[in-house]
């Protein structure tokens, strides 16, 4: 992190494939920015709906399969997908290579869920329970 506190970086010791890089405190409550590094076949969230949050995914590397409503979309490096509130969605790395993506969520408020998820992943001694992730 820089002296100004404005620069953050992926930490390699994280137990989860998702990290918040800029939280609501850093953005005056406007949005958060996160990075995902998803290995092939890694557990991903089941279908869910954000009632208030707009979410975006910008692909850096790999192929991410996203189901957004009735659409199935294969996102590749350079693609950006906007997911408005109220539309069921889920995503997974169904490819043979790693996925790396940047995501935004606005407004903020779900950071606590991400922190709880990271603590759960760090406590595991084996694969995660899909029902608990849901």
């Amino acid at each position: 992190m820089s002296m100004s506190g404005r620069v953050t970086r992926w930490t390699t010791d994280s137990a989860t494939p998702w990290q918040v890089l800029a939280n609501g405190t850093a953005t005056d409550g406007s949005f958060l920015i996160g990075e995902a590094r998803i290995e092939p076949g890694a557990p991903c969230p089941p279908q869910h709906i954000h009632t208030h949050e707009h979410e975006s995914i910008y692909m850096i590397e790999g192929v991410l399969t996203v189901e957004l409503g009735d659409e199935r979309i294969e996102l590749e490096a350079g693609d950006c997908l906007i997911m408005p509130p109220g539309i069921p969605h889920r995503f997974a790395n169904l490819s043979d290579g790693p996925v790396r993506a940047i995501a935004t969520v606005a407004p903020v408020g779900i950071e606590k869920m991400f922190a709880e998820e990271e603590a759960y992943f760090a406590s595991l001694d084996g694969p995660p329970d899909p029902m608990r992730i849901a």
Side-chain angles (χ1 to χ4, degrees):
M1 184 176 299
S2 73
M3 294 301 287
S4 70
R6 295 181 189 271
V7 176
T8 57
R9 179 179 301 269
W10 177 273
T11 56
T12 57
D13 61 345
S14 175
T16 180
W18 164 262
Q19 291 180 25
V20 174
L21 300 177
N23 61 21
T25 302
T27 66
D28 292 328
S30 299
F31 60 94
L32 68 82
I33 300 172
E35 182 176 348
R37 296 185 181 190
I38 307 169
E39 293 299 320
C44 288
Q47 187 177 54
H48 59 283
I49 298 174
H50 296 285
T51 55
H52 304 291
E53 297 84 8
H54 291 261
E55 186 175 5
S56 73
I57 300 172
Y58 176 77
M59 291 293 295
I60 297 170
E61 172 186 7
V63 178
L64 185 68
T65 302
V66 179
E67 290 181 5
L68 179 62
D70 294 334
E71 288 186 82
R72 185 178 175 126
I73 306 160
E74 301 288 325
L75 296 176
E76 299 178 6
D79 290 343
C80 182
L81 174 66
I82 306 297
M83 298 180 288
I87 299 177
H89 60 280
R90 64 181 170 174
F91 56 87
N93 180 356
L94 304 178
S95 73
D96 294 333
V99 162
R100 203 166 148 229
I102 298 295
T104 63
V105 179
V108 298
I110 63 172
E111 291 101 324
K112 182 180 178 195
M113 180 196 73
F114 292 137
E116 290 171 357
E117 184 179 76
E118 184 170 1
Y120 170 64
F121 274 88
S123 73
L124 292 176
D125 185 25
D129 176 5
M131 293 306 293
R132 177 129 183 222
I133 292 173

